[in-house]
Amino acid sequence: MYVSENYTVTYCMNVFPAYDVQNLLILLNEKIPQIVERTQPDQITIPLGLWFPIDLLEKSSQADRDRIGRVMARNNQYICTLNAFPQGQFHEKRIKENVYFPDWTDDKRFEYTCRVIEFASNLSLTQGIIPVSTVPISYGNKYSDSVWINLKKMCVFLHKIKEQKGLHFRLLLEPEPGCVLDRISNSKDFLQELSLRIPNAREYIGICLDTCHCAVMFEKPIDFFDMVENQGYSIDKIQISAALKLQKGINRSTLRKFNEVTYLHQTTILEENGDFHFFNDLKPALKSSIQGETRTHFHIPLYTEPLPPLESTRDLLDKDFFRKVATNGRILEIETYTFSILPDKQTDVISSISDEIKWLNQCLKNAL
């Protein structure tokens, strides 16, 4: 986790179940310093990508928040980005499609996002824009006009924070397979509609590009990046992640060990003739007789390839990609939240995170 002249590298800490102040302090005081020591021991200040679940926000007092601030100051840590996507439980129990709820049709999503930002606004923050990633509007492809009402309220709130505290937070919608925003085409349509409905949207709303999500939909992250920029919106944060893929002709049963009960693993199959098939989870895809390359939404560590015949989509993260995106102070945030449910893992979470950061550092060095 470090800052260069042109970009910032951090790790999304939703991998750790910090649902209360005690566990958040353990993360800040123990786990993050261990990662820093293994990756960038000479780094003076440590940029963090933090996640504040609703339980933490509801249970913490002002004294707790002051204590968190002191710990961050002592460890030279500051928030460079926030993850406000999962609102509640995100570990161990069945989550699946519940991770998207409440969505942006619901006032509760607006209220939670405001609480995250208010909580963070009293802690050490980066200068400039602070990206806050959120759900891709709603799960499925339908939504009501309440989305526009809530997004407009969000822009008003963010403008108020900027005016009163001098802090510029930007809400980043994060496209994901099977949601209102999941492909280049529907995301482009939504951004065009957003511009018409909310004139100052570009100042307070942008896109968080997750490279795993693009890959699952058989789209190149660099193409998605270009579309967003062409619409005049910002991509202040890119989540660097990889999906699983299986080449055509290989028995899909190889993926069975990844068919677990916690997270939703949207899966796609691309036939040789170009026909595209989407499944809302891995289980129904495993039952399909359709032949073609298969990709599934299961974040896997970046530093290693899965056991053959499985492959990773990290090949999309090539030199051209990093040369394009590692500019303008953009945040490159690794997000492999699935460590606890990875089959065949042979290391601990601190080592895995450290190795992923080292991998990204080497990719950037080779590209730039």
Side-chain angles (χ1 to χ4, degrees), residues 48-146:
L48 303 182
L50 293 184
W51 168 59
F52 299 135
I54 190 68
D55 284 354
L56 172 69
L57 300 178
E58 291 178 343
K59 295 174 183 177
S60 60
S61 64
Q62 185 58 54
D64 291 327
R65 299 178 188 205
D66 292 342
R67 187 180 176 195
I68 293 165
R70 290 195 297 271
V71 167
M72 289 181 64
R74 186 170 64 244
N75 292 323
N76 296 317
Q77 299 166 346
Y78 69 91
I79 297 171
C80 68
T81 183
L82 294 162
N83 188 319
F85 195 142
Q87 178 167 324
Q89 174 61 240
F90 194 56
H91 302 84
E92 298 178 0
K93 300 178 182 178
R94 184 192 184 278
I95 299 159
K96 297 292 184 180
E97 67 279 0
N98 293 325
V99 74
Y100 304 107
F101 298 101
D103 59 23
W104 279 101
T105 66
D106 192 332
D107 286 349
K108 291 180 180 178
R109 171 58 61 175
F110 165 73
E111 292 163 2
Y112 165 67
T113 309
C114 291
R115 293 184 70 170
V116 169
I117 290 168
E118 288 172 337
F119 186 93
S121 67
N122 295 308
L123 302 173
S124 298
L125 294 159
T126 187
Q127 294 182 345
I129 293 169
I130 305 126
V132 184
S133 50
T134 188
V135 297
I137 303 302
S138 185
Y139 181 59
N141 59 10
K142 295 180 181 179
Y143 59 93
S144 67
D145 280 349
S146 58

Side-chain angles (χ1 to χ4, degrees), residues 291-315:
Q291 296 300 306
E293 181 178 331
T294 302
R295 297 185 181 182
T296 191
H297 177 208
F298 195 116
H299 291 221
I300 54 174
L302 294 162
Y303 61 86
T304 184
E305 285 284 341
L307 295 175
L310 291 171
E311 298 177 34
S312 164
T313 61
R314 68 177 185 175
D315 59 308

